[in-house]
Amino acid sequence: MSADVWLDGSKLTFGGRNERERDVLTDAILTGRARSVYIPIIEAIDPRLMSRFLAKVGLEVLTQRLLPVDGWNEEIVDMPALDPLRHFARVGDRPEKWPFSRRRIYGEDDVHGDGDGYQVMHEFTILCEPLPEPGHLDLYAVVCIFGEEFAINLGEPEIASYERWLTAHDGTSPLYTSDKLPLPPVFE
């Protein structure tokens, strides 16, 4: 039988995808029918390659969002604030690393909606997080691929303001708050 397994702090946790699977798993463990546990180890992603990939995707997401704005091409191409990200995506030598946020927000096989439902393969948005300095923003590309959410800061190699944003919004993904948060005029 299969079960979901995850690390919760320092505890290894087993569970089923639904109540029935959880009950079958619990019964198998308590009755001794499940006497061995096999946990396939999935190779971890290379954080450097992933951050370079996310940098590239982040630039594409920003471009897609700015397409309706007159002069968008010049803004993307000529914006010096994006030069470090562009260089990191292309070459990857500096900065040494560009951190990103990674978390699962739903199962990769989850079916959404009523009736026949649908599977979400990918979704994305831009999050603008105001900084203490007037007129300055942290700009994040937030991308979800098969239920795993990634966020990368498009302006600098840090994610602290994204983590603060998640805390302030009870862990809700920015992908699901567009109807609750005001967007800067350029993104309307």
Side-chain angles (χ1 to χ4, degrees):
M1 72 185 296
S2 64
D4 291 332
V5 179
W6 63 94
L7 191 60
D8 185 12
S10 62
K11 298 186 306 184
L12 191 60
T13 305
F14 295 87
R17 289 187 206 131
N18 55 45
E19 189 174 336
R20 186 183 140 305
E21 285 184 13
R22 187 188 68 227
D23 291 345
V24 169
L25 176 64
T26 302
D27 182 62
I29 291 171
L30 292 176
T31 61
R33 286 185 295 126
R35 297 167 45 141
S36 300
V37 176
Y38 298 96
I39 301 174
I41 304 299
I42 299 169
E43 290 287 325
I45 60 170
D46 179 330
R48 184 176 175 68
L49 290 177
M50 188 63 181
S51 60
R52 288 182 67 197
F53 168 73
L54 290 172
K56 168 71 170 124
V57 170
L59 289 166
E60 295 291 332
V61 168
L62 182 61
T63 300
Q64 188 273 339
R65 278 300 184 94
L66 291 177
L67 279 173
V69 177
D70 288 335
W72 69 269
N73 193 29
E74 292 78 23
E75 281 296 318
I76 295 289
V77 172
D78 297 334
M79 188 179 296
L82 293 174
D83 287 346
L85 185 71
R86 276 192 284 266
H87 181 85
F88 185 76
R90 290 178 184 146
V91 182
D93 63 349
R94 64 179 194 276
E96 192 171 308
K97 61 182 183 174
W98 200 293
F100 57 91
S101 171
R102 178 183 184 188
R103 67 190 184 128
R104 180 151 301 279
I105 58 174
Y106 54 83
E108 66 183 66
D109 294 325
D110 285 3
V111 176
H112 305 272
D114 297 329
D116 293 335
Y118 58 94
Q119 184 179 17
V120 177
M121 290 186 239
H122 68 276
E123 51 192 325
F124 56 85
T125 193
I126 294 287
L127 174 67
C128 302
E129 182 60 9
L131 294 172
E133 306 148 26
H136 289 81
L137 296 170
D138 265 345
L139 200 59
Y140 286 91
V142 182
V143 179
C144 187
I145 304 170
F146 287 110
E148 196 157 1
E149 179 196 81
F150 300 91
I152 189 165
N153 188 329
L154 301 180
E156 61 182 322
E158 71 83 27
I159 57 167
S161 61
Y162 183 71
E163 292 166 346
R164 285 192 302 273
W165 188 92
L166 285 175
T167 300
H169 294 87
D170 299 320
T172 301
S173 174
L175 293 163
Y176 305 113
T177 58
S178 63
D179 59 337
K180 301 173 188 162
L181 297 175
L183 293 174
V186 73
F187 295 113
E188 289 181 336

